[in-house]
Amino acid sequence: MPITDEEAALQAISTLDPLSKDQRTALDKVNHLLDADHGDPHVDIHELFGLFNTIYFRNLLLPRVEVSWSGRLTLCAGICELVKDEQGKYRRIRLKLSEALLKYRPQSDTVNTLLHEAIHAYFFITTSWRHSRDDDGTGHGNGFLLLADAINNHGNYLITVYHTFHDEVDSYRTHIWQCDGPCSHRAPYFGLLKRSMNRAPSKADSWWKQHLEECGGNYTKIAEPELTKKQLQSMSAMERAGRQKNKIDSWIMEKDADGHSRSEHQPRQEVNESSPKNQSLGIKRQMSFTDETCDPYSKVMIVGCPICDQRMAERDINTHLDSEHPSLANVVGTEEPIYGPSAIQAVTEQAKEVPYTEMTKEDLRWTIMDSTNVETHTFYFMSQQGHIGMAQVIYSNVGGIRTTAQFNSKIFYPDQKLPNLWCCDPAEGWAFDEEKFTFQADNCGIELSEDGNSYRITSSTNPDCVVDITVTRNAPGFVVGKNGTSFFGPDSKNPWGSMKHAFWPRCKVEGSMVTKDGEVDFTGNTGFFAHALQGMKPHHAASRWNFVNFQSPTYSAVMMEYTTPPSYGSTVVNVGGIVTDGKILYAGATNSAKHTAIKGDPDSGWPEPGSACFEWKGSGFDAELTGSLGERLDRIDVMGEVPRFVKQFVAGAVGMKPYIFQYAPRLTLKITENGQQKEEEGRAFSEATFIS
């Protein structure tokens, strides 16, 4: 029985750690080909395909897959199709890239498209016809996403499900027909059919029968590209004369459907079936085996608004929500336009001049923005017995309409002998002190000491976990750059969003968490504190997160990395540092977090990591924390607490399905400072978060 796409993806992913000798050799050649200084911008796709076959696809693609450029492919960036072999069976695979769409675009678009189609070819070989009938019906289901994400992480590529070359696509669709039947008054196409080739609509189209039954109108060609000189010369004199126009043509008037007079050459209202307005997710990969143009009568998914129950096409739900229910739109958001990497002023730019700034008491104030934001104070504690504890206050503001606060606590038990204890409770009667240093609610609070060096965290909100812990910093706190903040928006002087992180990486802990299974005492152990502010819709700021908090007898290390959505160029921002008692050894933004092995999670569809490598690099300082993440402590469905109808809506309309994977491996921190090497084992707490 053929395996599934997910199983085939995991088989391919398992070959990436470690790489074989052949894979390493192929990888070196790829890096040379794509090197901006040495590589040819017009890369040889045949050579590149052979190398990718070795690195990512288990050497299964060649010689069965043919790779070529197509001059006729103008609607999709690439296509992967099954074709008949000499015995008349669909066992050959043809992969084509659009010369028209890609020839003037950056090299990276060609590479990403080649990898996208190669993934389809790999699944056709390993899972047969099942691939085109997978869980999402387009070949882009969980298996595709799993393998694409692993390749993206491994090679720093940007394989996506849909391309965004809408302007290029539309520039080639110059043959236009208009239907005179009822469909000319119906959205989204209004009877218009646009094609890149001069192929009139006919019974050869899969949607033709449906059109005859539901509309019955006739198509008339209303626009076409100018003929070339060669085409004109090949026409007879009578044919050329028939194409000539004179002034009287512009005087002829006709009646439109509403009975109004209109010049024959007055432009008709036109709706582009492939514009972002009407298809918010772009153009899908072609599933046809014969035609290289897309049909306008593809099936339309009808959905109901979760607020007013109005029925509409799925592609229109975001626009409807923004206009009719702006309060909910402020909560969940909708897909943003592509602003590009220039629309984020990352803190990494600050760090080039000022790597980090030590925090003072003034830096510990809550911001309490009056617009959409999420602000958190989060504390972690590690006991000598192996417990890991967490306490957190979350303050959120939804579009300036509603503000809420909640207190969260969690305990991970050693060797998971007991289930994780997770408490999440609304904070009632909450308020901040006048100076915004302290948060207080009816049964919980976080109070900053007068000297600004310690916090006391208390909570009896939930009897399952009563918290009374004090953390006192043992090393200076810091923000990366001048203020630890990245700003979002094309106008750098008037940003519309922000992201900030501040850290106390090494703290002394006193106190405990009391549960129904007994007291968990954290006294005498190390702790960690982070203040985070997402001054915008969180899923608009980041699509991925990597976090690690490492504690050992001598050192504490922290790293927080996020990747923006494509709307901000999929920009990676990484902040972190390493401290010891009383001293910052390094802090800055020249760090990296990589998933060095992917084991995948079929239940969520996300590429759950199996191993990771965290690196901190500064002037005369290098540190590395690498190894297996071990068995995960927990997998959190972030939307699990959201009402079901909102959760389903958000996942469909925004593409969100946020999950957090948590781990606590014992790892060895390796430090090289001024040529001296040191190593020390400790406990790491790590999270890998996937949002969209």
Side-chain angles (χ1 to χ4, degrees):
M1 181 177 179
I3 62 176
T4 65
D5 282 6
E6 291 92 331
E7 292 168 336
L10 292 174
Q11 289 177 3
I13 292 168
S14 67
T15 67
L16 300 181
D17 185 27
L19 294 177
S20 67
K21 181 180 178 180
D22 288 343
Q23 286 175 302
R24 290 196 299 271
T25 301
L27 183 60
D28 290 340
K29 291 181 179 178
V30 168
N31 291 336
H32 180 76
L33 281 174
L34 303 184
D35 189 291
D37 296 326
H38 304 97
D40 183 351
H42 305 291
V43 65
D44 185 339
I45 59 172
H46 300 91
E47 182 180 4
L48 198 59
F49 183 79
L51 297 172
F52 285 149
N53 178 42
T54 300
I55 302 170
Y56 298 120
F57 303 110
R58 302 162 56 201
N59 283 314
L60 296 179
L61 303 187
L62 295 174
R64 189 169 169 183
V65 181
E66 303 173 9
V67 180
S68 64
W69 288 102
S70 171
R72 298 176 61 219
L73 191 62
T74 58
L75 195 54
C76 302
I79 185 172
C80 182
E81 57 186 0
L82 287 171
V83 294
K84 291 181 179 180
D85 60 12
E86 293 78 2
Q87 285 75 41
K89 296 184 178 181
Y90 285 100
R91 290 184 294 206
R92 292 173 55 205
I93 300 170
R94 184 181 296 150
L95 191 159
K96 300 179 183 178
L97 300 186
S98 170
E99 184 177 13
L101 296 185
L102 294 171
K103 62 183 177 182
Y104 296 124
R105 295 192 65 84
Q107 179 195 79
S108 59
D109 288 334
T110 298
V111 174
N112 291 325
T113 303
L114 181 65
L115 281 167
H116 176 117
E117 302 305 335
I119 293 174
H120 287 304
Y122 171 74
F123 285 136
F124 275 136
I125 290 174
T126 54
T127 71
S128 188
W129 285 92
R130 177 177 296 195
H131 171 55
S132 60
R133 301 168 181 166
D134 69 352
D135 47 351
D136 83 328
T138 72
H140 300 109
N142 290 336
F144 181 95
L145 298 175
L146 192 65
L147 184 52
D149 197 84
I151 295 173
N152 284 341
N153 283 329
H154 183 271
N156 197 28
Y157 298 110
L158 189 60
I159 307 166
T160 58
V161 173
Y162 307 105
H163 75 63
T164 56
F165 315 153
H166 306 300
D167 291 339
E168 288 89 340
V169 168
D170 202 52
S171 68
Y172 289 104
R173 304 174 72 224
T174 52
H175 295 275
I176 305 174
W177 290 263
Q178 172 75 61
C179 178
D180 59 8
C183 74
S184 62
H185 305 290
R186 290 200 298 259
Y189 307 123
F190 295 95
L192 285 173
L193 173 64
K194 301 177 70 175
R195 282 179 168 162
S196 58
M197 61 177 62
N198 189 18
R199 186 172 66 83
S202 69
K203 62 181 180 181
D205 294 300
S206 60
W207 48 267
W208 182 257
K209 182 178 179 182
Q210 178 186 352
H211 178 262
L212 288 178
E213 294 173 351
E214 297 181 2
C215 175
N218 297 311
Y219 279 97
T220 302
K221 194 167 190 181
I222 61 172
E224 62 184 7
E226 292 291 331
L227 294 180
T228 65
K229 183 177 181 181
K230 184 177 180 180
Q231 288 173 321
L232 285 171
Q233 290 175 345
S234 66
M235 298 174 67
S236 67
M238 184 172 293
E239 287 174 326
R240 286 197 298 271
R243 297 182 60 84
Q244 294 174 352
K245 299 289 183 181
N246 54 47
K247 291 183 178 181
I248 198 170
D249 290 311
S250 63
W251 302 339
I252 299 175
M253 307 296 288
E254 66 176 16
K255 299 289 184 179
D256 61 18
D258 298 322
H260 300 103
S261 296
R262 178 174 60 82
S263 170
E264 180 183 8
H265 300 289
Q266 179 181 340
R268 298 172 184 260
Q269 181 182 7
E270 181 177 312
V271 177
N272 186 343
E273 64 187 23
S274 66
S275 70
K277 180 178 179 181
N278 291 312
Q279 290 186 356
S280 61
L281 292 179
I283 306 298
K284 290 187 176 181
R285 179 182 64 92
Q286 286 284 358
M287 299 303 297
S288 167
F289 296 101
T290 58
D291 192 1
E292 294 185 359
T293 61
C294 290
D295 295 325
Y297 267 77
S298 57
K299 293 182 179 179
V300 177
M301 179 68 71
I302 302 299
V303 298
C305 171
I307 306 301
C308 65
D309 291 328
Q310 181 178 335
R311 308 289 288 176
M312 69 197 72
E314 184 181 32
R315 59 175 165 263
D316 298 327
I317 187 68
N318 285 345
T319 302
H320 169 80
L321 197 73
D322 281 336
S323 61
E324 301 299 327
H325 309 291
S327 60
L328 184 59
N330 284 333
V331 177
V332 301
T334 53
E335 186 178 21
E336 288 197 293
I338 302 298
Y339 303 112
S342 62
I344 175 174
Q345 293 78 54
V347 69
T348 51
E349 294 301 311
Q350 297 181 28
K352 291 177 180 178
E353 298 181 6
V354 181
Y356 70 91
T357 302
E358 287 193 18
M359 295 169 61
T360 66
K361 181 180 179 180
E362 293 300 309
D363 298 313
L364 297 172
R365 298 180 192 271
W366 287 80
T367 306
I368 319 175
M369 294 175 60
D370 57 6
S371 57
T372 297
N373 75 95
V374 177
E375 189 169 6
T376 61
H377 274 31
T378 307
F379 302 84
Y380 288 98
F381 330 103
M382 297 183 180
S383 77
Q384 293 180 350
Q385 293 75 30
H387 299 84
I388 297 177
M390 184 275 290
Q392 179 186 59
V393 166
I394 301 179
Y395 165 82
S396 60
N397 185 323
V398 182
I401 300 172
R402 184 186 180 196
T403 55
T404 62
Q406 66 185 54
F407 187 92
N408 300 332
S409 60
K410 192 168 189 175
I411 298 176
F412 300 99
Y413 288 89
D415 301 320
Q416 296 187 288
K417 294 178 180 178
L418 291 174
N420 301 329
L421 177 62
W422 166 245
C423 300
C424 176
D425 302 283
E428 304 293 342
W430 57 270
F432 297 92
D433 71 333
E434 186 175 349
E435 294 182 303
K436 301 180 182 178
F437 288 128
T438 294
F439 170 88
Q440 193 66 46
D442 288 348
N443 296 299
C444 64
I446 297 179
E447 182 179 0
L448 181 66
S449 64
E450 187 64 30
D451 61 7
N453 290 326
S454 64
Y455 278 102
R456 185 182 181 192
I457 308 108
T458 58
S459 174
S460 58
T461 303
N462 193 317
D464 289 339
C465 186
V466 178
V467 181
D468 191 350
I469 291 178
T470 299
V471 297
T472 303
R473 66 177 181 86
N474 280 348
F478 69 85
V479 294
V480 169
K482 300 176 183 178
N483 53 29
T485 307
S486 296
F487 296 97
F488 294 75
D491 185 352
S492 60
K493 296 181 180 179
N494 297 287
W496 57 47
S498 62
M499 179 84 77
K500 177 182 179 180
H501 292 95
F503 306 107
W504 283 3
R506 190 171 181 84
C507 303
K508 178 181 71 175
V509 180
E510 297 177 274
S512 65
M513 292 177 159
V514 179
T515 75
K516 293 182 178 180
D517 292 309
E519 181 180 26
V520 179
D521 190 359
F522 293 99
T523 299
N525 294 282
T526 55
F528 167 90
F529 162 63
H531 177 193
L533 171 64
Q534 298 183 51
M536 57 197 300
K537 299 170 186 176
H539 54 284
H540 281 182
S543 61
R544 304 287 173 91
W545 290 88
N546 286 301
F547 166 69
V548 67
N549 158 34
F550 173 84
Q551 302 291 335
S552 71
T554 308
Y555 303 105
S556 296
V558 61
M559 184 184 297
M560 185 76 77
E561 178 186 273
Y562 63 91
T563 303
T564 70
S567 49
Y568 296 99
S570 298
T571 301
V572 177
V573 180
N574 188 308
V575 294
I578 297 178
V579 306
T580 188
D581 287 340
K583 182 181 178 182
I584 296 176
L585 300 178
Y586 159 81
T590 51
N591 323 306
S592 65
K594 296 181 179 178
H595 297 169
T596 54
I598 305 295
K599 57 185 178 182
D601 177 41
D603 292 336
S604 67
W606 288 117
E608 179 187 1
S611 301
C613 178
F614 302 94
E615 293 182 308
W616 296 259
K617 292 184 179 294
S619 177
F621 183 94
D622 290 292
E624 180 182 278
L625 195 63
T626 186
S628 171
L629 296 173
E631 293 297 319
R632 72 176 178 226
L633 297 178
D634 203 356
R635 181 190 66 196
I636 303 171
D637 178 359
V638 178
M639 300 300 294
E641 302 299 322
V642 176
R644 182 171 180 270
F645 79 93
V646 175
K647 177 180 177 181
Q648 291 176 334
F649 168 76
V650 173
V654 186
M656 285 178 57
K657 52 172 185 175
Y659 279 82
I660 302 174
F661 297 87
Q662 297 177 318
Y663 312 88
R666 293 200 67 81
L667 297 173
T668 298
L669 180 67
K670 300 178 181 180
I671 295 177
T672 302
E673 185 176 18
N674 298 322
Q676 295 185 347
Q677 297 182 350
K678 301 177 182 179
E679 295 185 4
E680 189 164 285
E681 186 183 81
R683 171 64 61 86
F685 178 80
S686 179
E687 292 182 337
T689 302
F690 303 91
I691 299 176
S692 60

